[in-house]
Amino acid sequence: MYSIEMAYARMRELQDLANRSRAHQPTPAPRAVAKLRLPRAKKS
């Protein structure tokens, strides 16, 4: 039987794996990040 505890443990495992793989990625260039933060132009 698959218990809540087993599901939770698996979720934590996957989360740790995701965090580890994210930590190894280089940070995006500041210009690319600034571009993402720009507010969208309003369409009239």
Side-chain angles (χ1 to χ4, degrees), residues 3-44:
S3 69
I4 293 292
E5 288 81 11
M6 287 166 69
Y8 185 74
R10 180 70 177 138
M11 185 191 70
R12 293 289 310 176
E13 210 175 279
L14 291 172
Q15 216 163 30
D16 289 346
L17 199 70
N19 289 339
R20 240 180 286 136
S21 68
R22 192 185 305 141
H24 289 297
Q25 289 178 357
T27 55
R31 275 186 67 197
V33 174
K35 214 175 206 180
L36 291 173
R37 291 201 188 121
L38 290 174
R40 293 187 184 274
K42 291 182 181 174
K43 292 182 181 177
S44 301

